[in-house]
PDB file of all heavy atoms in Angstrom:
ATOM      1  N   GLY A  23     -14.222 -28.007  -8.545  1.00 81.00           N
ATOM      2  CA  GLY A  23     -13.362 -27.079  -8.118  1.00 81.00           C
ATOM      3  C   GLY A  23     -14.117 -25.945  -7.412  1.00 81.00           C
ATOM      4  O   GLY A  23     -13.512 -25.262  -6.459  1.00 81.00           O
ATOM      5  N   PHE A  24     -15.379 -25.842  -7.599  1.00 79.00           N
ATOM      6  CA  PHE A  24     -16.268 -24.762  -6.907  1.00 79.00           C
ATOM      7  C   PHE A  24     -16.277 -25.112  -5.455  1.00 79.00           C
ATOM      8  O   PHE A  24     -16.550 -24.253  -4.702  1.00 79.00           O
ATOM      9  CB  PHE A  24     -17.616 -24.905  -7.604  1.00 79.00           C
ATOM     10  CG  PHE A  24     -18.620 -23.865  -7.201  1.00 79.00           C
ATOM     11  CD1 PHE A  24     -18.526 -22.563  -7.712  1.00 79.00           C
ATOM     12  CD2 PHE A  24     -19.525 -24.069  -6.186  1.00 79.00           C
ATOM     13  CE1 PHE A  24     -19.385 -21.579  -7.400  1.00 79.00           C
ATOM     14  CE2 PHE A  24     -20.400 -23.088  -5.802  1.00 79.00           C
ATOM     15  CZ  PHE A  24     -20.394 -21.812  -6.394  1.00 79.00           C
ATOM     16  N   GLN A  25     -15.988 -26.288  -5.084  1.00 87.00           N
ATOM     17  CA  GLN A  25     -16.093 -26.831  -3.700  1.00 87.00           C
ATOM     18  C   GLN A  25     -14.680 -26.621  -3.001  1.00 87.00           C
ATOM     19  O   GLN A  25     -14.594 -26.984  -1.874  1.00 87.00           O
ATOM     20  CB  GLN A  25     -16.433 -28.326  -3.730  1.00 87.00           C
ATOM     21  CG  GLN A  25     -17.752 -28.648  -4.283  1.00 87.00           C
ATOM     22  CD  GLN A  25     -17.943 -30.089  -4.645  1.00 87.00           C
ATOM     23  OE1 GLN A  25     -16.993 -30.837  -4.588  1.00 87.00           O
ATOM     24  NE2 GLN A  25     -19.166 -30.461  -5.009  1.00 87.00           N
ATOM     25  N   SER A  26     -13.748 -25.962  -3.567  1.00 92.00           N
ATOM     26  CA  SER A  26     -12.456 -25.750  -2.857  1.00 92.00           C
ATOM     27  C   SER A  26     -12.655 -24.836  -1.633  1.00 92.00           C
ATOM     28  O   SER A  26     -12.864 -23.564  -1.810  1.00 92.00           O
ATOM     29  CB  SER A  26     -11.357 -25.232  -3.861  1.00 92.00           C
ATOM     30  OG  SER A  26     -10.341 -24.787  -3.061  1.00 92.00           O
ATOM     31  N   ALA A  27     -12.642 -25.381  -0.452  1.00 95.00           N
ATOM     32  CA  ALA A  27     -12.784 -24.506   0.742  1.00 95.00           C
ATOM     33  C   ALA A  27     -11.576 -23.540   0.909  1.00 95.00           C
ATOM     34  O   ALA A  27     -11.763 -22.395   1.444  1.00 95.00           O
ATOM     35  CB  ALA A  27     -12.830 -25.471   1.965  1.00 95.00           C
ATOM     36  N   GLN A  28     -10.394 -23.985   0.496  1.00 96.00           N
ATOM     37  CA  GLN A  28      -9.265 -23.063   0.659  1.00 96.00           C
ATOM     38  C   GLN A  28      -9.389 -21.895  -0.238  1.00 96.00           C
ATOM     39  O   GLN A  28      -8.946 -20.731   0.132  1.00 96.00           O
ATOM     40  CB  GLN A  28      -7.916 -23.843   0.343  1.00 96.00           C
ATOM     41  CG  GLN A  28      -7.575 -24.719   1.476  1.00 96.00           C
ATOM     42  CD  GLN A  28      -6.048 -25.161   1.351  1.00 96.00           C
ATOM     43  OE1 GLN A  28      -5.307 -24.946   2.253  1.00 96.00           O
ATOM     44  NE2 GLN A  28      -5.604 -25.796   0.211  1.00 96.00           N
ATOM     45  N   PHE A  29      -9.887 -22.029  -1.378  1.00 95.00           N
ATOM     46  CA  PHE A  29     -10.083 -20.761  -2.332  1.00 95.00           C
ATOM     47  C   PHE A  29     -11.030 -19.856  -1.754  1.00 95.00           C
ATOM     48  O   PHE A  29     -10.817 -18.626  -1.656  1.00 95.00           O
ATOM     49  CB  PHE A  29     -10.491 -21.261  -3.772  1.00 95.00           C
ATOM     50  CG  PHE A  29     -10.578 -20.149  -4.671  1.00 95.00           C
ATOM     51  CD1 PHE A  29      -9.430 -19.565  -5.212  1.00 95.00           C
ATOM     52  CD2 PHE A  29     -11.835 -19.670  -5.079  1.00 95.00           C
ATOM     53  CE1 PHE A  29      -9.535 -18.483  -6.087  1.00 95.00           C
ATOM     54  CE2 PHE A  29     -11.920 -18.554  -5.916  1.00 95.00           C
ATOM     55  CZ  PHE A  29     -10.775 -17.973  -6.354  1.00 95.00           C
ATOM     56  N   ARG A  30     -12.189 -20.419  -1.149  1.00 95.00           N
ATOM     57  CA  ARG A  30     -13.093 -19.499  -0.497  1.00 95.00           C
ATOM     58  C   ARG A  30     -12.545 -18.831   0.646  1.00 95.00           C
ATOM     59  O   ARG A  30     -12.742 -17.649   1.000  1.00 95.00           O
ATOM     60  CB  ARG A  30     -14.355 -20.305  -0.238  1.00 95.00           C
ATOM     61  CG  ARG A  30     -15.101 -20.826  -1.253  1.00 95.00           C
ATOM     62  CD  ARG A  30     -15.528 -19.814  -2.349  1.00 95.00           C
ATOM     63  NE  ARG A  30     -16.079 -20.358  -3.431  1.00 95.00           N
ATOM     64  CZ  ARG A  30     -16.141 -19.766  -4.654  1.00 95.00           C
ATOM     65  NH1 ARG A  30     -15.726 -18.568  -4.810  1.00 95.00           N
ATOM     66  NH2 ARG A  30     -16.659 -20.367  -5.711  1.00 95.00           N
ATOM     67  N   GLU A  31     -11.686 -19.640   1.425  1.00 97.00           N
ATOM     68  CA  GLU A  31     -11.071 -19.048   2.558  1.00 97.00           C
ATOM     69  C   GLU A  31     -10.200 -17.851   2.207  1.00 97.00           C
ATOM     70  O   GLU A  31     -10.137 -16.808   2.865  1.00 97.00           O
ATOM     71  CB  GLU A  31     -10.350 -20.086   3.439  1.00 97.00           C
ATOM     72  CG  GLU A  31      -9.742 -19.610   4.717  1.00 97.00           C
ATOM     73  CD  GLU A  31      -9.037 -20.691   5.454  1.00 97.00           C
ATOM     74  OE1 GLU A  31      -8.944 -21.889   4.956  1.00 97.00           O
ATOM     75  OE2 GLU A  31      -8.456 -20.436   6.487  1.00 97.00           O
ATOM     76  N   LEU A  32      -9.460 -18.041   1.098  1.00 98.00           N
ATOM     77  CA  LEU A  32      -8.481 -17.053   0.657  1.00 98.00           C
ATOM     78  C   LEU A  32      -9.336 -15.818   0.216  1.00 98.00           C
ATOM     79  O   LEU A  32      -8.896 -14.670   0.581  1.00 98.00           O
ATOM     80  CB  LEU A  32      -7.674 -17.525  -0.569  1.00 98.00           C
ATOM     81  CG  LEU A  32      -6.733 -16.527  -1.224  1.00 98.00           C
ATOM     82  CD1 LEU A  32      -5.583 -16.199  -0.121  1.00 98.00           C
ATOM     83  CD2 LEU A  32      -6.059 -17.077  -2.421  1.00 98.00           C
ATOM     84  N   GLU A  33     -10.418 -15.956  -0.413  1.00 97.00           N
ATOM     85  CA  GLU A  33     -11.223 -14.863  -0.934  1.00 97.00           C
ATOM     86  C   GLU A  33     -11.718 -14.109   0.322  1.00 97.00           C
ATOM     87  O   GLU A  33     -11.626 -12.859   0.421  1.00 97.00           O
ATOM     88  CB  GLU A  33     -12.460 -15.298  -1.691  1.00 97.00           C
ATOM     89  CG  GLU A  33     -12.169 -15.656  -3.140  1.00 97.00           C
ATOM     90  CD  GLU A  33     -13.434 -15.876  -3.917  1.00 97.00           C
ATOM     91  OE1 GLU A  33     -14.470 -16.300  -3.433  1.00 97.00           O
ATOM     92  OE2 GLU A  33     -13.383 -15.469  -5.130  1.00 97.00           O
ATOM     93  N   PHE A  34     -12.130 -14.749   1.433  1.00 98.00           N
ATOM     94  CA  PHE A  34     -12.692 -14.137   2.578  1.00 98.00           C
ATOM     95  C   PHE A  34     -11.532 -13.373   3.211  1.00 98.00           C
ATOM     96  O   PHE A  34     -11.701 -12.262   3.694  1.00 98.00           O
ATOM     97  CB  PHE A  34     -13.084 -15.227   3.583  1.00 98.00           C
ATOM     98  CG  PHE A  34     -14.463 -15.778   3.199  1.00 98.00           C
ATOM     99  CD1 PHE A  34     -15.128 -15.538   2.038  1.00 98.00           C
ATOM    100  CD2 PHE A  34     -14.994 -16.743   4.021  1.00 98.00           C
ATOM    101  CE1 PHE A  34     -16.399 -16.077   1.750  1.00 98.00           C
ATOM    102  CE2 PHE A  34     -16.332 -17.376   3.771  1.00 98.00           C
ATOM    103  CZ  PHE A  34     -17.011 -17.041   2.586  1.00 98.00           C
ATOM    104  N   LYS A  35     -10.344 -13.994   3.247  1.00 98.00           N
ATOM    105  CA  LYS A  35      -9.229 -13.328   4.022  1.00 98.00           C
ATOM    106  C   LYS A  35      -8.648 -12.194   3.294  1.00 98.00           C
ATOM    107  O   LYS A  35      -7.991 -11.264   3.793  1.00 98.00           O
ATOM    108  CB  LYS A  35      -8.111 -14.311   4.368  1.00 98.00           C
ATOM    109  CG  LYS A  35      -8.531 -15.340   5.431  1.00 98.00           C
ATOM    110  CD  LYS A  35      -7.421 -16.229   5.934  1.00 98.00           C
ATOM    111  CE  LYS A  35      -7.817 -16.993   7.126  1.00 98.00           C
ATOM    112  NZ  LYS A  35      -6.722 -17.766   7.689  1.00 98.00           N
ATOM    113  N   LEU A  36      -8.864 -12.102   1.958  1.00 98.00           N
ATOM    114  CA  LEU A  36      -8.499 -10.923   1.186  1.00 98.00           C
ATOM    115  C   LEU A  36      -9.528  -9.860   1.310  1.00 98.00           C
ATOM    116  O   LEU A  36      -9.116  -8.658   1.301  1.00 98.00           O
ATOM    117  CB  LEU A  36      -8.328 -11.285  -0.289  1.00 98.00           C
ATOM    118  CG  LEU A  36      -7.226 -12.193  -0.682  1.00 98.00           C
ATOM    119  CD1 LEU A  36      -7.158 -12.536  -2.258  1.00 98.00           C
ATOM    120  CD2 LEU A  36      -5.829 -11.574  -0.308  1.00 98.00           C
ATOM    121  N   GLY A  37     -10.771 -10.202   1.398  1.00 97.00           N
ATOM    122  CA  GLY A  37     -11.769  -9.177   1.635  1.00 97.00           C
ATOM    123  C   GLY A  37     -13.062  -9.410   0.893  1.00 97.00           C
ATOM    124  O   GLY A  37     -14.057  -8.589   0.999  1.00 97.00           O
ATOM    125  N   LEU A  38     -13.013 -10.490   0.089  1.00 97.00           N
ATOM    126  CA  LEU A  38     -14.281 -10.885  -0.743  1.00 97.00           C
ATOM    127  C   LEU A  38     -15.111 -11.742   0.111  1.00 97.00           C
ATOM    128  O   LEU A  38     -14.967 -13.013   0.025  1.00 97.00           O
ATOM    129  CB  LEU A  38     -13.827 -11.549  -2.064  1.00 97.00           C
ATOM    130  CG  LEU A  38     -13.239 -10.564  -3.142  1.00 97.00           C
ATOM    131  CD1 LEU A  38     -12.613 -11.381  -4.205  1.00 97.00           C
ATOM    132  CD2 LEU A  38     -14.452  -9.880  -3.837  1.00 97.00           C
ATOM    133  N   LYS A  39     -15.939 -11.148   0.960  1.00 96.00           N
ATOM    134  CA  LYS A  39     -16.683 -11.951   1.956  1.00 96.00           C
ATOM    135  C   LYS A  39     -18.206 -12.167   1.453  1.00 96.00           C
ATOM    136  O   LYS A  39     -18.894 -11.162   1.552  1.00 96.00           O
ATOM    137  CB  LYS A  39     -16.641 -11.297   3.283  1.00 96.00           C
ATOM    138  CG  LYS A  39     -15.229 -11.266   3.941  1.00 96.00           C
ATOM    139  CD  LYS A  39     -15.278 -10.778   5.355  1.00 96.00           C
ATOM    140  CE  LYS A  39     -13.916 -10.824   6.064  1.00 96.00           C
ATOM    141  NZ  LYS A  39     -13.890 -10.423   7.364  1.00 96.00           N
ATOM    142  N   ASN A  40     -18.435 -13.317   1.023  1.00 93.00           N
ATOM    143  CA  ASN A  40     -19.794 -13.631   0.660  1.00 93.00           C
ATOM    144  C   ASN A  40     -20.345 -14.845   1.528  1.00 93.00           C
ATOM    145  O   ASN A  40     -19.930 -15.991   1.278  1.00 93.00           O
ATOM    146  CB  ASN A  40     -19.914 -14.038  -0.876  1.00 93.00           C
ATOM    147  CG  ASN A  40     -21.289 -14.292  -1.379  1.00 93.00           C
ATOM    148  OD1 ASN A  40     -22.155 -14.415  -0.473  1.00 93.00           O
ATOM    149  ND2 ASN A  40     -21.395 -14.352  -2.703  1.00 93.00           N
ATOM    150  N   PRO A  41     -21.130 -14.574   2.520  1.00 93.00           N
ATOM    151  CA  PRO A  41     -21.592 -15.632   3.409  1.00 93.00           C
ATOM    152  C   PRO A  41     -22.322 -16.742   2.668  1.00 93.00           C
ATOM    153  O   PRO A  41     -22.379 -17.818   3.197  1.00 93.00           O
ATOM    154  CB  PRO A  41     -22.625 -14.936   4.320  1.00 93.00           C
ATOM    155  CG  PRO A  41     -22.231 -13.378   4.178  1.00 93.00           C
ATOM    156  CD  PRO A  41     -21.756 -13.187   2.925  1.00 93.00           C
ATOM    157  N   ALA A  42     -22.821 -16.463   1.459  1.00 91.00           N
ATOM    158  CA  ALA A  42     -23.597 -17.545   0.783  1.00 91.00           C
ATOM    159  C   ALA A  42     -22.739 -18.729   0.519  1.00 91.00           C
ATOM    160  O   ALA A  42     -23.167 -19.889   0.394  1.00 91.00           O
ATOM    161  CB  ALA A  42     -24.030 -17.000  -0.577  1.00 91.00           C
ATOM    162  N   PHE A  43     -21.395 -18.565   0.349  1.00 89.00           N
ATOM    163  CA  PHE A  43     -20.563 -19.659   0.053  1.00 89.00           C
ATOM    164  C   PHE A  43     -20.319 -20.619   1.314  1.00 89.00           C
ATOM    165  O   PHE A  43     -19.844 -21.723   1.109  1.00 89.00           O
ATOM    166  CB  PHE A  43     -19.175 -19.226  -0.374  1.00 89.00           C
ATOM    167  CG  PHE A  43     -19.178 -18.644  -1.746  1.00 89.00           C
ATOM    168  CD1 PHE A  43     -18.818 -17.363  -2.026  1.00 89.00           C
ATOM    169  CD2 PHE A  43     -19.488 -19.451  -2.847  1.00 89.00           C
ATOM    170  CE1 PHE A  43     -18.905 -16.895  -3.225  1.00 89.00           C
ATOM    171  CE2 PHE A  43     -19.455 -18.967  -4.103  1.00 89.00           C
ATOM    172  CZ  PHE A  43     -19.181 -17.646  -4.353  1.00 89.00           C
ATOM    173  N   LEU A  44     -20.792 -20.216   2.458  1.00 92.00           N
ATOM    174  CA  LEU A  44     -20.803 -21.131   3.554  1.00 92.00           C
ATOM    175  C   LEU A  44     -21.565 -22.398   3.367  1.00 92.00           C
ATOM    176  O   LEU A  44     -21.311 -23.444   3.854  1.00 92.00           O
ATOM    177  CB  LEU A  44     -21.206 -20.426   4.913  1.00 92.00           C
ATOM    178  CG  LEU A  44     -20.292 -19.304   5.365  1.00 92.00           C
ATOM    179  CD1 LEU A  44     -20.979 -18.651   6.617  1.00 92.00           C
ATOM    180  CD2 LEU A  44     -18.922 -19.838   5.816  1.00 92.00           C
ATOM    181  N   GLU A  45     -22.666 -22.187   2.651  1.00 87.00           N
ATOM    182  CA  GLU A  45     -23.738 -23.163   2.380  1.00 87.00           C
ATOM    183  C   GLU A  45     -22.987 -24.427   1.724  1.00 87.00           C
ATOM    184  O   GLU A  45     -23.442 -25.607   2.037  1.00 87.00           O
ATOM    185  CB  GLU A  45     -24.721 -22.596   1.432  1.00 87.00           C
ATOM    186  CG  GLU A  45     -25.937 -23.669   1.054  1.00 87.00           C
ATOM    187  CD  GLU A  45     -26.774 -24.095   2.327  1.00 87.00           C
ATOM    188  OE1 GLU A  45     -26.677 -23.271   3.325  1.00 87.00           O
ATOM    189  OE2 GLU A  45     -27.413 -25.060   2.168  1.00 87.00           O
ATOM    190  N   TYR A  46     -22.086 -24.197   0.886  1.00 85.00           N
ATOM    191  CA  TYR A  46     -21.456 -25.304   0.184  1.00 85.00           C
ATOM    192  C   TYR A  46     -20.555 -26.159   0.987  1.00 85.00           C
ATOM    193  O   TYR A  46     -20.120 -27.219   0.521  1.00 85.00           O
ATOM    194  CB  TYR A  46     -20.634 -24.825  -1.022  1.00 85.00           C
ATOM    195  CG  TYR A  46     -21.573 -24.091  -2.054  1.00 85.00           C
ATOM    196  CD1 TYR A  46     -21.681 -22.723  -1.970  1.00 85.00           C
ATOM    197  CD2 TYR A  46     -22.294 -24.724  -2.976  1.00 85.00           C
ATOM    198  CE1 TYR A  46     -22.526 -21.961  -2.779  1.00 85.00           C
ATOM    199  CE2 TYR A  46     -23.153 -24.121  -3.860  1.00 85.00           C
ATOM    200  CZ  TYR A  46     -23.245 -22.676  -3.758  1.00 85.00           C
ATOM    201  OH  TYR A  46     -24.096 -22.116  -4.647  1.00 85.00           O
ATOM    202  N   HIS A  47     -20.208 -25.773   2.226  1.00 88.00           N
ATOM    203  CA  HIS A  47     -19.290 -26.499   3.083  1.00 88.00           C
ATOM    204  C   HIS A  47     -19.927 -26.812   4.502  1.00 88.00           C
ATOM    205  O   HIS A  47     -19.227 -27.316   5.331  1.00 88.00           O
ATOM    206  CB  HIS A  47     -17.962 -25.706   3.314  1.00 88.00           C
ATOM    207  CG  HIS A  47     -17.357 -25.388   1.994  1.00 88.00           C
ATOM    208  ND1 HIS A  47     -16.567 -26.207   1.334  1.00 88.00           N
ATOM    209  CD2 HIS A  47     -17.452 -24.218   1.218  1.00 88.00           C
ATOM    210  CE1 HIS A  47     -16.133 -25.611   0.146  1.00 88.00           C
ATOM    211  NE2 HIS A  47     -16.683 -24.392   0.120  1.00 88.00           N
ATOM    212  N   LYS A  48     -21.205 -26.594   4.593  1.00 87.00           N
ATOM    213  CA  LYS A  48     -21.963 -26.756   5.844  1.00 87.00           C
ATOM    214  C   LYS A  48     -21.768 -28.219   6.418  1.00 87.00           C
ATOM    215  O   LYS A  48     -21.865 -28.460   7.702  1.00 87.00           O
ATOM    216  CB  LYS A  48     -23.319 -26.349   5.830  1.00 87.00           C
ATOM    217  CG  LYS A  48     -24.230 -27.164   4.859  1.00 87.00           C
ATOM    218  CD  LYS A  48     -25.642 -26.625   4.835  1.00 87.00           C
ATOM    219  CE  LYS A  48     -26.506 -27.533   3.921  1.00 87.00           C
ATOM    220  NZ  LYS A  48     -27.883 -27.071   3.794  1.00 87.00           N
ATOM    221  N   ASP A  49     -21.682 -29.234   5.602  1.00 87.00           N
ATOM    222  CA  ASP A  49     -21.572 -30.598   6.036  1.00 87.00           C
ATOM    223  C   ASP A  49     -20.126 -31.075   6.197  1.00 87.00           C
ATOM    224  O   ASP A  49     -19.986 -32.227   6.417  1.00 87.00           O
ATOM    225  CB  ASP A  49     -22.306 -31.526   5.030  1.00 87.00           C
ATOM    226  CG  ASP A  49     -23.811 -31.217   4.935  1.00 87.00           C
ATOM    227  OD1 ASP A  49     -24.406 -30.772   5.900  1.00 87.00           O
ATOM    228  OD2 ASP A  49     -24.376 -31.218   3.796  1.00 87.00           O
ATOM    229  N   ILE A  50     -19.190 -30.168   6.159  1.00 90.00           N
ATOM    230  CA  ILE A  50     -17.797 -30.604   6.280  1.00 90.00           C
ATOM    231  C   ILE A  50     -17.337 -29.726   7.541  1.00 90.00           C
ATOM    232  O   ILE A  50     -16.902 -28.552   7.360  1.00 90.00           O
ATOM    233  CB  ILE A  50     -16.916 -30.255   5.119  1.00 90.00           C
ATOM    234  CG1 ILE A  50     -17.574 -30.840   3.851  1.00 90.00           C
ATOM    235  CG2 ILE A  50     -15.513 -30.739   5.322  1.00 90.00           C
ATOM    236  CD1 ILE A  50     -16.920 -30.593   2.600  1.00 90.00           C
ATOM    237  N   PRO A  51     -17.369 -30.265   8.747  1.00 92.00           N
ATOM    238  CA  PRO A  51     -17.056 -29.451   9.971  1.00 92.00           C
ATOM    239  C   PRO A  51     -15.860 -28.631   9.970  1.00 92.00           C
ATOM    240  O   PRO A  51     -15.845 -27.479  10.250  1.00 92.00           O
ATOM    241  CB  PRO A  51     -17.118 -30.594  11.075  1.00 92.00           C
ATOM    242  CG  PRO A  51     -17.847 -31.647  10.501  1.00 92.00           C
ATOM    243  CD  PRO A  51     -17.671 -31.633   9.045  1.00 92.00           C
ATOM    244  N   ASP A  52     -14.706 -29.178   9.519  1.00 94.00           N
ATOM    245  CA  ASP A  52     -13.413 -28.479   9.597  1.00 94.00           C
ATOM    246  C   ASP A  52     -13.486 -27.367   8.635  1.00 94.00           C
ATOM    247  O   ASP A  52     -13.133 -26.129   8.994  1.00 94.00           O
ATOM    248  CB  ASP A  52     -12.277 -29.447   9.325  1.00 94.00           C
ATOM    249  CG  ASP A  52     -10.914 -28.720   9.410  1.00 94.00           C
ATOM    250  OD1 ASP A  52     -10.613 -28.120  10.496  1.00 94.00           O
ATOM    251  OD2 ASP A  52     -10.285 -28.615   8.298  1.00 94.00           O
ATOM    252  N   ALA A  53     -13.868 -27.553   7.396  1.00 93.00           N
ATOM    253  CA  ALA A  53     -13.981 -26.474   6.363  1.00 93.00           C
ATOM    254  C   ALA A  53     -14.935 -25.436   6.745  1.00 93.00           C
ATOM    255  O   ALA A  53     -14.677 -24.217   6.636  1.00 93.00           O
ATOM    256  CB  ALA A  53     -14.314 -27.119   5.008  1.00 93.00           C
ATOM    257  N   SER A  54     -16.034 -25.873   7.294  1.00 94.00           N
ATOM    258  CA  SER A  54     -17.036 -24.837   7.742  1.00 94.00           C
ATOM    259  C   SER A  54     -16.582 -23.989   8.867  1.00 94.00           C
ATOM    260  O   SER A  54     -16.800 -22.765   8.764  1.00 94.00           O
ATOM    261  CB  SER A  54     -18.283 -25.607   8.222  1.00 94.00           C
ATOM    262  OG  SER A  54     -19.322 -24.678   8.652  1.00 94.00           O
ATOM    263  N   ALA A  55     -15.816 -24.549   9.765  1.00 95.00           N
ATOM    264  CA  ALA A  55     -15.319 -23.736  10.875  1.00 95.00           C
ATOM    265  C   ALA A  55     -14.331 -22.774  10.402  1.00 95.00           C
ATOM    266  O   ALA A  55     -14.233 -21.664  10.858  1.00 95.00           O
ATOM    267  CB  ALA A  55     -14.719 -24.768  12.029  1.00 95.00           C
ATOM    268  N   ARG A  56     -13.385 -23.186   9.527  1.00 95.00           N
ATOM    269  CA  ARG A  56     -12.363 -22.373   9.001  1.00 95.00           C
ATOM    270  C   ARG A  56     -12.979 -21.139   8.236  1.00 95.00           C
ATOM    271  O   ARG A  56     -12.491 -20.084   8.283  1.00 95.00           O
ATOM    272  CB  ARG A  56     -11.384 -23.082   8.124  1.00 95.00           C
ATOM    273  CG  ARG A  56     -10.472 -23.981   8.888  1.00 95.00           C
ATOM    274  CD  ARG A  56      -9.526 -24.800   7.916  1.00 95.00           C
ATOM    275  NE  ARG A  56      -8.649 -23.957   7.093  1.00 95.00           N
ATOM    276  CZ  ARG A  56      -7.462 -23.568   7.514  1.00 95.00           C
ATOM    277  NH1 ARG A  56      -6.894 -24.058   8.665  1.00 95.00           N
ATOM    278  NH2 ARG A  56      -6.723 -22.718   6.853  1.00 95.00           N
ATOM    279  N   LEU A  57     -13.994 -21.499   7.424  1.00 96.00           N
ATOM    280  CA  LEU A  57     -14.685 -20.467   6.583  1.00 96.00           C
ATOM    281  C   LEU A  57     -15.372 -19.395   7.425  1.00 96.00           C
ATOM    282  O   LEU A  57     -15.317 -18.215   7.231  1.00 96.00           O
ATOM    283  CB  LEU A  57     -15.536 -21.082   5.580  1.00 96.00           C
ATOM    284  CG  LEU A  57     -14.868 -21.711   4.430  1.00 96.00           C
ATOM    285  CD1 LEU A  57     -15.860 -22.455   3.553  1.00 96.00           C
ATOM    286  CD2 LEU A  57     -14.050 -20.748   3.566  1.00 96.00           C
ATOM    287  N   LYS A  58     -16.031 -19.885   8.545  1.00 96.00           N
ATOM    288  CA  LYS A  58     -16.704 -19.025   9.439  1.00 96.00           C
ATOM    289  C   LYS A  58     -15.723 -18.048  10.114  1.00 96.00           C
ATOM    290  O   LYS A  58     -15.954 -16.905  10.275  1.00 96.00           O
ATOM    291  CB  LYS A  58     -17.468 -19.822  10.414  1.00 96.00           C
ATOM    292  CG  LYS A  58     -18.858 -20.451   9.873  1.00 96.00           C
ATOM    293  CD  LYS A  58     -19.623 -21.262  10.910  1.00 96.00           C
ATOM    294  CE  LYS A  58     -20.820 -21.838  10.310  1.00 96.00           C
ATOM    295  NZ  LYS A  58     -21.572 -22.693  11.323  1.00 96.00           N
ATOM    296  N   ALA A  59     -14.613 -18.627  10.463  1.00 97.00           N
ATOM    297  CA  ALA A  59     -13.572 -17.851  11.130  1.00 97.00           C
ATOM    298  C   ALA A  59     -12.968 -16.913  10.218  1.00 97.00           C
ATOM    299  O   ALA A  59     -12.746 -15.652  10.684  1.00 97.00           O
ATOM    300  CB  ALA A  59     -12.415 -18.772  11.686  1.00 97.00           C
ATOM    301  N   ALA A  60     -12.851 -17.162   8.971  1.00 97.00           N
ATOM    302  CA  ALA A  60     -12.259 -16.284   8.034  1.00 97.00           C
ATOM    303  C   ALA A  60     -13.316 -15.157   7.718  1.00 97.00           C
ATOM    304  O   ALA A  60     -12.996 -13.984   7.533  1.00 97.00           O
ATOM    305  CB  ALA A  60     -11.934 -16.966   6.698  1.00 97.00           C
TER     306      ALA A  60
END
């Protein structure tokens, strides 16, 4: 569950922005793009 991209995206969009979590999705293009945008 640590790999849930949507949960990280929600955190980012609420205001909990930790760039370190991008690392866990770097090999999944769509998730990585959404997280970077958030």
Side-chain angles (χ1 to χ4, degrees):
F24 190 79
Q25 300 161 348
S26 172
Q28 285 200 121
F29 183 75
R30 295 305 171 198
E31 186 179 358
L32 180 65
E33 284 193 323
F34 287 2
K35 288 188 174 185
L36 290 178
L38 285 163
K39 294 186 174 184
N40 184 349
F43 286 118
L44 294 176
E45 179 69 18
Y46 298 96
H47 304 279
K48 64 181 181 180
D49 297 326
I50 309 172
D52 181 61
S54 180
R56 287 180 64 94
L57 286 173
K58 285 180 181 176

